[in-house]
Amino acid sequence: MNFDYNSTRSHLILAEYGRNVQNMVDYICTIDDREERNRLAQVVIDMMGVLNPHLRDVSDFKHKLWDHLYIISDFKIDVDSPYPIPDRDDIRHKPETLPYPQKRIRYKHYGRTVEDMISKAIAQPEPEYTERMALSIANFMKMAYLSWNKDSVSDEHIIQDLKELSKGVLVLPADTVLTKLDFKSAPPGSRTKSTMTNQQSSHQKNAGSGKKPMMKKKVGGYSNNNNNKNNNFNNNRKKFQ
């Protein structure tokens, strides 16, 4: 007895269409009559649209189905398509390799952005503009330093690091006062404000005071008024006995 397992079958190229669609496409490739191939290919296209109705939301979904037909046949099917035949290299091209930076960062707590800013400031032809950029870079360096180390940092330390990173080009005066930025987070519960209606607030007041609404007390399933009426009726009946 021979069993048909998925491991013994051919590779399923587009699993969302299933094994039957792929078998039909493979069968179309073996037909010699071109008109018959075109007729069966149109039937398979209609079936593929029914199996994947979400493709109807895609613009020009018919073009998408014909491209999938060629992909399922491994570009072996020979039919008259109303759209240009897709190229194998265009569909299965490898993505380009991302150019990851390989340059070493001198001070990681400042980051590469500071080094790029220093290079831009050095390249400026106007000395006045370079001085303003140097001061802005120093303030940014202090902010970056405090984001990693919550302890205070002296301005002289930032100025010295700026001088070292710029190789002695960007030098600020020793008495320069840099901007101090405090990183304070909002206390818990103050980020969102909740509003209550008058009914909710009154309900909470009643719950907090411990008061309960007045209810009529019942004895034996009857109210006190009914119980009094029954007692009066019994008393009157005893008088006539």
Side-chain angles (χ1 to χ4, degrees), residues 117-118 120-122 124-141 162 169-173 176-179:
M117 294 166 63
I118 291 173
K120 295 290 184 180
I122 295 174
Q124 293 299 323
E126 299 179 2
E128 183 180 358
Y129 189 72
T130 302
E131 293 177 0
R132 292 200 302 266
M133 286 190 65
L135 182 60
S136 300
I137 293 171
N139 291 325
F140 181 81
M141 291 172 61
L162 177 62
V169 178
L170 301 180
V171 180
L172 294 176
T176 303
V177 179
L178 302 178
T179 304

Side-chain angles (χ1 to χ4, degrees), residues 22 33-34 36 58 72 79 120 130 193 200 207 238:
Q22 182 163 334
D33 189 4
R34 189 176 187 85
E36 185 67 13
V58 181
I72 293 174
V79 293
K120 295 290 184 180
T130 302
K193 295 181 180 180
Q200 292 176 345
K238 290 179 179 179

Side-chain angles (χ1 to χ4, degrees), residues 31-225:
I31 298 176
D32 297 332
D33 189 4
R34 189 176 187 85
E35 294 182 359
E36 185 67 13
R37 289 201 305 268
N38 292 332
R39 187 183 68 82
L40 294 179
Q42 186 62 49
V43 173
V44 173
I45 288 294
D46 296 338
M47 186 180 298
M48 291 167 63
V50 174
L51 293 176
N52 290 272
H54 64 278
L55 290 179
R56 298 182 183 274
D57 299 334
V58 181
S59 59
D60 200 6
F61 76 101
K62 281 288 186 180
H63 192 181
K64 195 79 170 178
L65 293 176
W66 279 97
D67 290 345
H68 289 177
L69 178 66
Y70 281 96
I71 294 173
I72 293 174
S73 66
D74 197 16
F75 301 92
K76 297 176 182 178
I77 191 170
D78 185 12
V79 293
D80 297 331
S81 174
Y83 303 98
I85 299 175
D87 191 5
R88 184 192 299 267
D89 296 333
D90 294 338
I91 294 178
R92 297 180 180 177
H93 66 278
K94 293 183 180 180
E96 297 180 359
T97 305
L98 294 177
Y100 288 99
Q102 302 295 334
K103 184 180 178 182
R104 178 178 174 272
I105 301 175
R106 183 69 180 275
Y107 296 112
K108 293 184 178 180
H109 52 278
Y110 293 135
R112 187 179 301 279
T113 304
V114 171
E115 297 181 1
D116 296 338
M117 294 166 63
I118 291 173
S119 301
K120 295 290 184 180
I122 295 174
Q124 293 299 323
E126 299 179 2
E128 183 180 358
Y129 189 72
T130 302
E131 293 177 0
R132 292 200 302 266
M133 286 190 65
L135 182 60
S136 300
I137 293 171
N139 291 325
F140 181 81
M141 291 172 61
K142 185 174 183 179
M143 181 190 66
Y145 189 97
L146 293 176
S147 65
W148 287 93
N149 187 2
K150 298 300 181 182
D151 298 335
S152 61
V153 58
S154 62
D155 295 343
E156 292 81 4
H157 181 74
I158 299 296
I159 294 172
Q160 183 62 31
D161 289 346
L162 177 62
K163 180 180 178 181
E164 183 178 354
L165 290 173
S166 63
K167 297 181 180 180
V169 178
L170 301 180
V171 180
L172 294 176
D175 57 348
T176 303
V177 179
L178 302 178
T179 304
K180 182 180 180 181
L181 299 177
D182 296 331
F183 295 91
K184 294 182 179 180
S185 60
S190 64
R191 296 182 180 180
T192 58
K193 295 181 180 180
S194 60
T195 58
M196 296 186 301
T197 60
N198 295 329
Q199 295 180 356
Q200 292 176 345
S201 60
S202 61
H203 178 72
Q204 290 182 357
K205 289 180 180 179
N206 295 331
S209 60
K211 296 181 179 180
K212 296 182 179 180
M214 298 297 294
M215 297 179 63
K216 292 183 179 180
K217 185 176 180 181
K218 294 182 179 181
V219 179
Y222 297 96
S223 62
N224 293 331
N225 295 329

Side-chain angles (χ1 to χ4, degrees), residues 11-27:
H11 175 63
L12 191 60
I13 299 176
L14 293 180
E16 57 266 27
Y17 293 106
R19 177 70 60 179
N20 292 329
V21 173
Q22 182 163 334
N23 292 336
M24 288 187 288
V25 173
D26 294 338
Y27 172 73

